[in-house]
Amino acid sequence: MRAGAHDFVMKDHLKRLAPVLKREIDEAAKRRSHRLAEVALRNSEARYRAITQSATDAIVTSDEEGIIRGWNIGARKIFGYSEAEAIGQPLTMLMPQRFKERHLKGMNRVLTGGASHTLGAMVTVHGLTKSGNEFPLELSQSQWETNEGRFFTGIIHDISKREKSEQSLQVSEERFRALIEQSLAGIYISKDGVYQYANPRMEQLLGYGPGNLVGLRVEDIVVEDDLAIVIAEREKLKDGAISTAFEVRARRKDGSIITLGVQGSLYKFDSTSATIGMAQDISDKKQAEEEIAHHVSQLEAAFKSTVKVATTLVEMRDPYTAGHQRRVAQVAVAIGAELGFDAHRQEGLGVAGYLHDVGKITIPAEILSKPGKITAIEFQLIQCHAQLGYEVLKNIEFRWPVAEVALQHHERLDGSGYPQGLKGEAILLEARIMAVADVVEAMSSHRPYRAGLGIEAALAEIERGRGTVYDPDVSDACLRLFREKGFTIAE
């Protein structure tokens, strides 16, 4: 066969084979595409199953007849049914009887809502576990279609714990509000000096109606002269104080003035802060305290006058020692201060000094003012004044050991004193102080039987008896006062 004829035959043969080859190629491409689609579908289903099975929420799928077709691990945990127990069962087994009608209506609305794949709105309903327990849940639903029919999927979240917490919080809030609203103390919240809240008692205290305090400034309530107190206390809170307490005068709506006792603390929230305060009307208490203070002042004045009267009576019996008790009190108080006595204890030394010789009122004036040497019997009578002074004072309720000081002011550290011959620590410290003050004043002053010996002679006696007859600490304090600090006895 010629070459030209051969080429013609081959071309004709290829022309007839071309459609067959094309069909085979197309079929092969279709088969490959189908295999790829099956792989993709299997992969998609695997991913879907992995997601649904790992979800903590229940994911339940049912057909349009309401029969369960899909059930994940989350559903098993929430409802208590295994997948085998749930698949093929009606959805109504997951619904409390009293809520079934409501649930079914909701499902019908989803089924008749068209072919949308968008999740439905979240709703709060109730579910029923395998054990018969009802529980609140949040449910979102969507419906979808395949060539096998229409289905809908629900995502279910158990909100039992959250609802219980919310109920507890609500109860707590209601209890707290009742406590605040019914409190016998005024309670308020202020921010930047402006009232944000006031409970009924606070409104009542200040004479305002419900809600009328809100928006007012602290300056509208607190008396102008007391504003500095509020500002100072507010700064303490800003500087880190946990709480603050103070008293201020406040002007009520009708213009009357009351005194408030206030306690406050700083409450911080978000990026701002506010003051929470509690207030009580202490006007009556304040007035009572002022009246008590006035009465106490009067009593103290009367007491001091009585002490002076007693001292004057003694001095009237012994005019030559006039001023002795006052000067002894002066020295005793100075020594007490040098030893670190507080104001109350110093006051006690002063009273004891004024009355330490009150027992001399029973001694005949002739003996007290005798210019010459006294006899042994007369000295024994004079020594009795310590015991007699105690007898006069022991039944009076002093705030200090005044009677004991009168009894012991002639006792000596070594037991050589009278009337009991006490030693060392058995003698009250106040009495040891009075002993030194008594000697210093007596030796430095004039007496009917001799001229005053002067302060140096008196101090030399204290120095000589230091640690033997006189308390060493008291002696040192006395010597420091006169020799180092320039103390002098005022006439």
Side-chain angles (χ1 to χ4, degrees):
M1 184 180 291
R2 290 182 304 204
H6 181 268
D7 291 341
F8 176 78
V9 171
M10 288 297 296
K11 287 180 180 179
D12 183 63
H13 179 67
L14 290 173
K15 186 176 181 180
R16 288 195 300 270
L17 287 176
V20 175
L21 290 173
K22 185 176 184 302
R23 283 195 300 272
E24 290 181 355
I25 291 172
D26 289 344
E27 289 295 328
K30 287 180 180 179
R31 288 194 297 273
R32 182 174 182 277
S33 177
H34 183 67
R35 286 196 301 273
L36 290 175
E38 287 180 342
V39 171
L41 179 60
R42 285 196 298 272
N43 289 340
S44 177
E45 288 177 346
R47 284 194 298 270
Y48 169 77
R49 187 166 184 80
I51 292 171
T52 57
Q53 292 302 319
S54 63
T56 56
D57 287 341
I59 300 177
V60 180
T61 298
S62 69
D63 58 25
E64 58 185 328
E65 301 299 326
I67 303 302
I68 298 173
R69 299 302 181 190
W71 190 261
N72 74 336
I73 294 175
R76 185 184 70 189
K77 290 180 179 179
I78 290 176
F79 289 98
Y81 293 100
S82 68
E83 186 175 12
E85 291 174 316
I87 298 296
Q89 298 298 319
L91 273 173
T92 51
M93 77 174 187
L94 307 179
M95 307 173 189
Q97 184 63 39
R98 60 198 180 99
F99 291 115
K100 280 184 180 180
E101 185 178 352
R102 174 185 171 188
H103 288 343
L104 291 172
K105 286 181 179 179
M107 290 166 54
N108 289 331
R109 281 197 298 270
V110 173
L111 288 170
T112 58
S116 171
H117 293 264
T118 305
L119 285 174
M122 187 79 71
V123 293
T124 301
V125 292
H126 284 76
L128 183 69
T129 66
K130 181 180 178 180
S131 60
N133 294 324
E134 291 186 16
F135 67 96
L137 58 86
E138 282 183 343
L139 169 67
S140 61
Q141 300 170 316
S142 66
Q143 65 91 20
W144 46 280
E145 285 185 31
T146 69
N147 56 2
E148 296 178 357
R150 299 175 68 192
F151 301 87
F152 74 89
T153 298
I155 299 177
I156 299 162
H157 179 63
D158 184 354
I159 58 172
S160 302
K161 292 182 179 179
R162 189 184 79 188
E163 191 168 277
K164 186 175 180 181
S165 297
E166 289 174 350
Q167 289 174 351
S168 298
L169 179 61
Q170 183 178 356
V171 170
S172 177
E173 287 178 347
E174 289 174 354
R175 188 183 297 118
F176 176 74
R177 178 170 291 277
L179 179 65
I180 295 299
E181 297 293 324
Q182 299 172 23
S183 173
L184 296 177
I187 298 173
Y188 67 89
I189 298 174
S190 67
K191 181 179 177 183
D192 299 326
V194 179
Y195 290 107
Q196 307 295 316
Y197 167 80
N199 74 337
R201 178 56 178 162
M202 189 69 183
E203 294 167 340
Q204 182 185 17
L205 284 176
L206 296 173
Y208 285 84
N212 290 343
L213 267 175
V214 175
L216 292 181
R217 300 190 63 80
V218 174
E219 290 83 351
D220 299 327
I221 303 298
V222 176
V223 172
E224 185 176 358
D225 291 344
D226 289 357
L227 281 175
I229 298 174
V230 177
I231 294 171
E233 297 300 324
R234 191 185 296 164
E235 291 302 316
K236 288 181 184 178
L237 292 176
K238 289 181 179 179
D239 291 340
I242 297 175
S243 62
T244 183
F246 54 95
E247 296 177 3
V248 290
R249 290 169 297 164
R251 182 175 287 102
R252 303 181 80 244
K253 187 177 181 180
D254 62 8
S256 59
I257 303 297
I258 60 173
T259 302
L260 294 178
V262 181
Q263 288 183 309
S265 59
L266 198 64
Y267 173 65
K268 294 184 178 180
F269 56 97
D270 297 333
S271 59
T272 185
S273 60
T275 300
I276 299 178
M278 182 178 294
Q280 290 182 309
D281 183 359
I282 60 171
S283 302
D284 293 340
K285 176 187 173 186
K286 195 75 174 175
Q287 184 178 355
E289 288 176 349
E290 291 173 355
E291 290 177 356
I292 290 171
H294 177 67
H295 291 318
V296 169
S297 178
Q298 287 181 323
L299 288 172
E300 288 181 348
F303 171 75
K304 291 177 181 178
S305 297
T306 303
V307 171
K308 288 182 179 179
V309 168
T311 304
T312 301
L313 289 174
V314 175
E315 291 177 349
M316 288 175 66
R317 298 292 307 281
D318 183 15
Y320 291 100
T321 59
H324 166 70
Q325 296 182 104
R326 175 181 54 78
R327 291 191 294 272
V328 169
Q330 181 187 358
V331 176
V333 170
I335 293 174
E338 183 68 16
L339 290 172
F341 281 22
D342 60 24
H344 174 74
R345 207 171 179 187
Q346 290 178 43
E347 185 181 1
L349 279 174
V351 173
Y354 269 101
L355 297 176
H356 76 284
D357 275 345
V358 72
K360 286 183 177 180
I361 198 169
T362 64
I363 308 230
E366 294 79 6
I367 297 176
L368 292 175
S369 59
K370 186 176 180 179
K373 188 176 181 179
I374 59 175
T375 66
I377 294 176
E378 289 172 337
F379 183 65
Q380 287 179 356
L381 284 173
I382 291 175
Q383 285 183 322
C384 289
H385 82 278
Q387 183 67 48
L388 294 170
Y390 174 76
E391 297 298 329
V392 170
L393 300 172
K394 68 179 182 179
N395 294 322
I396 302 175
E397 294 186 5
F398 292 101
R399 292 181 291 169
W400 314 276
V402 175
E404 288 76 10
V405 172
L407 177 65
Q408 298 178 11
H409 75 280
H410 279 293
E411 300 288 356
R412 296 295 180 257
L413 215 61
D414 59 1
S416 62
Y418 63 86
Q420 296 172 297
L422 300 176
K423 292 183 179 181
E425 296 295 323
I427 308 169
L428 283 172
L429 178 56
E430 283 84 351
R432 283 177 263 159
I433 293 172
M434 203 63 63
V436 170
D438 192 35
V439 169
V440 169
E441 197 288 325
M443 287 187 64
S444 61
S445 301
H446 295 294
R447 286 293 181 269
Y449 49 86
R450 63 154 175 81
L453 301 177
I455 190 65
E456 282 304 321
L459 295 179
E461 165 60 20
I462 299 302
E463 199 168 34
R464 180 198 63 77
R466 178 190 179 279
T468 54
V469 293
Y470 308 119
D471 183 283
D473 293 333
V474 175
S475 299
D476 291 343
C478 178
L479 294 171
R480 280 197 306 273
L481 279 172
F482 284 94
R483 289 180 174 173
E484 298 176 20
K485 298 187 177 181
F487 179 80
T488 58
I489 301 174
E491 292 297 330

